[in-house]
Amino acid sequence: MNEVASRALLERLIGFATVSRDSNLELIAFIRDYLEALGVQSELFYNPERTKANLFATIGPLDHGGIVLSGHTDVVPVDGQAWTMEPFRLTEQDGRLYGRGTADMKGFIASVLAAVPRFLERPLKAPIHLAFSYDEEVGCLGVRPMLMELAKREYQPRLCLIGEPTGLKPVLGHKGKLAMRCHVKGAACHSAYAPYGVNAIQYAARLIGKLEEIGSELAEPEHHDERFDPPFSTVQTGVIKGGRALNIVPAECEFDFEVRALPGFDAQQVSDKLQTYAEAELLPKMRSVQSDTGIRLQSLSAYPGLATPPDSEAADLLALLSGSRDFGTVAFGTEGGLFNEAGIPTIVCGPGSMDQGHKPDEFISLEQLSNCDAMLARLADYLTKPV
């Protein structure tokens, strides 16, 4: 019966096109009203423009820490992808449910919402908190103001379960991320007199080469952590823009790069090394030609990695819920590092696979949705025991 409820709720959630660039308020209002009809009150935490909101709700006693069930409501765009069905309308075929966000990660949210009546029926000894955020897909931005508010409260959540798609396999860790933009200001001139200008694209290329060199150093065996795939911190440049015409030495170039950092490695070190290289090697040459040239690094987003100890209370709960102590890691990031940084030990386990996430014809299987329902039922049983 719960599987039917999960599917119906997922159908409603997929109907909200909550791409990160757009508002999620209609979806949040739907969840708020759904919970209110069951007697559960919600709090909303808005972005400064009040175009997006996080939702936080509590089921059970208010004088204990409890378990957070966390998921993000935003999805990635479908622009330019070759979908064979409507991305924002749920389609069922051969035991699969298709639609943008089915795996990442509205399937988990639907299962959580379907479990609310069960949670309400049980004599919970500790609360279940629901935390649904915005702007996870653009750097885990939205959850931060909600975590800041929760930190002020007397009773802090005891643990957090992030329902990102892991095939319901137990995950204790993931890498962190630093996203940066580098602006190179050169000096334009006619290309026939190229030595009298400062070619911003060429200097950007040297900076990108330096990033590749730093990445190669991080890939050396002494920096490996075999729990991860790949087992080292990585550096890559993903976007570059510059130049106006072939016969003009380009005065401007910018590129975006990211660091996917193993837990415990400070990704800012990569940016700092690039800055040092720019100041020591490149800027003197640029300014010997034109004094007002420059190189500027701008932070776009960042979130920490996660490495929950396998001998912790959080890991024990994850083993109970998933039925396995075969703990793993995932290559993608989650909001888990931010919860953990806020003092809330965090685990990751959810339905679906990231092999389908962000792709055209994204799907989750009905079996995975049903198995998630069963996992949440085990959580309800667990929380009926004395704290």
Side-chain angles (χ1 to χ4, degrees):
M1 180 62 101
N2 220 49
E3 178 187 317
V4 175
S6 297
R7 185 203 180 285
L9 283 161
L10 181 56
E11 184 168 17
R12 293 297 305 275
L13 296 177
I14 295 303
F16 297 103
T18 52
V19 176
S20 302
R21 65 186 175 222
D22 300 321
S23 174
N24 74 336
L25 291 183
E26 288 188 7
L27 179 146
I28 289 294
F30 167 75
I31 295 176
R32 179 199 61 207
D33 294 347
Y34 169 83
L35 293 173
E36 186 174 356
L38 294 170
V40 179
Q41 298 302 307
S42 304
E43 298 175 80
L44 302 186
F45 301 91
Y46 290 91
N47 66 345
E49 299 78 20
R50 296 186 71 83
T51 57
K52 301 179 182 181
N54 303 302
L55 181 145
F56 188 81
T58 298
I59 302 165
L62 300 177
D63 58 348
H64 292 290
I67 311 296
V68 178
L69 301 177
S70 175
H72 62 83
T73 63
D74 60 318
V75 298
V76 297
V78 299
D79 309 58
Q81 294 188 334
W83 283 75
T84 63
M85 54 196 73
E86 171 56 49
F88 296 110
R89 185 177 66 200
L90 196 70
T91 301
E92 182 175 348
Q93 288 183 7
D94 302 322
R96 294 175 174 178
L97 300 172
Y98 291 86
R100 171 57 85 223
T102 48
D104 184 21
M105 57 178 299
K106 291 179 178 179
F108 176 73
I109 295 175
S111 192
V112 169
L113 294 176
V116 170
R118 181 194 298 271
F119 296 155
L120 291 168
E121 291 169 359
R122 304 305 300 273
L124 300 179
K125 305 300 183 185
I128 293 173
H129 307 288
L130 312 184
F132 303 136
S133 65
Y134 64 87
D135 281 1
E136 188 272 351
E137 295 288 6
V138 289
C140 297
L141 303 180
V143 74
R144 298 168 195 255
M146 180 164 58
L147 287 173
M148 290 175 61
E149 179 60 32
L150 294 180
K152 303 174 186 176
R153 301 189 176 182
E154 181 179 1
Y155 295 101
Q156 300 297 305
R158 199 167 91 228
L159 300 171
C160 176
L161 169 63
I162 304 281
E164 290 276 8
T166 68
L168 292 171
K169 295 177 181 178
V171 165
L172 293 179
H174 63 72
K175 293 180 180 179
K177 178 181 174 180
L178 173 68
M180 300 288 297
R181 177 166 294 159
C182 180
H183 303 264
V184 182
K185 181 184 178 185
C189 69
H190 194 291
S191 62
Y193 302 96
Y196 303 123
V198 178
N199 190 311
I201 291 178
Q202 290 182 350
Y203 277 97
R206 295 180 68 175
L207 290 161
I208 292 169
K210 182 63 176 179
L211 286 173
E212 184 178 9
E213 179 185 316
I214 295 170
S216 296
E217 293 171 359
L218 293 175
E220 292 294 325
E222 61 264 31
H223 302 304
H224 284 199
D225 184 335
E226 299 300 334
R227 295 174 299 170
F228 293 86
D229 180 22
F232 47 85
S233 300
T234 59
V235 184
Q236 77 100 21
T237 302
V239 178
I240 185 167
K241 295 186 292 186
R244 296 184 180 276
L246 185 57
N247 61 354
I248 302 174
V249 171
E252 302 288 341
C253 185
E254 67 178 35
F255 62 90
D256 297 350
F257 67 93
E258 68 168 20
V259 185
R260 298 279 180 164
L262 292 169
F265 174 70
D266 182 4
Q268 187 62 41
Q269 293 181 36
V270 174
S271 180
D272 291 345
K273 285 185 177 181
L274 190 68
Q275 185 71 51
T276 298
Y277 170 72
E279 292 175 358
E281 301 291 334
L282 303 186
L283 285 173
K285 295 176 182 178
M286 295 168 67
R287 288 172 176 167
S288 69
V289 178
Q290 183 75 33
S291 61
D292 65 348
T293 55
I295 295 170
R296 178 171 62 88
L297 294 177
Q298 172 191 357
S299 178
L300 299 178
S301 65
Y303 57 77
L306 178 69
T308 300
D311 58 351
S312 61
E313 179 191 9
D316 289 344
L317 174 61
L318 182 57
L320 174 69
L321 297 180
S322 66
S324 172
R325 293 195 75 90
D326 185 17
F327 300 126
T329 64
V330 289
F332 57 86
T334 80
E335 295 168 333
L338 292 168
F339 275 92
N340 194 69
E341 244 185 16
I344 306 170
T346 300
I347 50 184
V348 184
C349 188
S353 170
M354 197 56 85
D355 289 342
Q356 281 77 55
H358 297 201
K359 294 181 179 179
D361 293 347
E362 179 181 349
F363 71 85
I364 191 172
S365 71
L366 282 166
E367 180 183 18
Q368 281 281 296
L369 204 59
S370 178
N371 289 342
C372 186
D373 293 339
M375 179 182 75
L376 295 174
R378 289 192 290 275
L379 175 62
D381 290 341
Y382 171 77
L383 291 177
T384 60
K385 301 173 184 178
V387 179

